[in-house]
Amino acid sequence: MWLRKLGKPWTQDDVFNASGLDPSLGPGTLVVPSSVVVSDSVSFGCDSAWRERLLVRLDPEIRPVTGPMLHAEKVIASPRHKSKLHDRFGVMAVDME
């Protein structure tokens, strides 16, 4: 898949992997975050204009989801822990990079 970034093609190396927390997301789902949650009291909104420019450039067959994403400092491996994080923060996925 190729996306356009500042006039240059993006490759898979430019796309970050995250772990799905929302049980309705299937493997390989493209999540385009609307915000990044860092803790109970800290979150950052993502640039909505940039997000919209990205979404309109995607192949029509790609059906991304948008919503909040959690940032974690350590690996979240346990399905039970992932479920608790989804319930606590209402996030779709967790970025552990």
Side-chain angles (χ1 to χ4, degrees), residues 31-58:
V31 177
V32 180
S34 58
S35 63
V36 177
V37 176
V38 180
S39 69
D40 285 318
S41 60
V42 178
S43 68
F44 300 94
C46 296
D47 184 290
S48 59
W50 179 88
R51 189 175 61 251
E52 291 305 314
R53 287 193 306 272
L54 170 68
L55 292 172
V56 299
R57 286 178 173 83
L58 292 175

Side-chain angles (χ1 to χ4, degrees), residues 12-38:
Q12 288 181 326
D13 294 336
D14 297 313
V15 178
F16 301 100
N17 292 311
S19 179
L21 299 180
D22 184 331
S24 71
L25 300 179
T29 299
L30 175 61
V31 177
V32 180
S34 58
S35 63
V36 177
V37 176
V38 180

